Amino acid sequence: MKGAFVYYENHGAIAAVFYGMINEQGKAIQLGEADGNKGVIVDIPEEKNYMKH
């Protein structure tokens, strides 16, 4: 696979979700953290920069 990807890490034991981007060089860049009790999926605004149209 090529290109950048978004990722989510669900840490249920501490009720936290970490999310970010993995760039084209394979480096993970954490962009934020969300309350795991409110759901896993959150918007990642930077994702739109990598979407193909």
Side-chain angles (χ1 to χ4, degrees):
M1 296 204 275
K2 294 182 181 181
F5 298 89
V6 297
Y7 73 87
Y8 294 94
E9 291 180 34
N10 184 5
H11 295 261
I14 60 171
V17 176
F18 300 97
Y19 56 92
M21 302 286 298
I22 298 174
N23 67 20
E24 293 178 355
Q25 291 75 37
K27 181 178 179 185
I29 303 164
Q30 184 175 319
L31 298 173
E33 178 180 344
D35 183 347
N37 291 319
K38 293 183 179 180
V40 174
I41 304 301
V42 296
D43 289 330
I44 300 178
E46 292 84 355
E47 181 179 15
K48 70 179 181 285
N49 297 332
Y50 296 94
M51 295 177 70
K52 295 180 181 176
H53 300 274

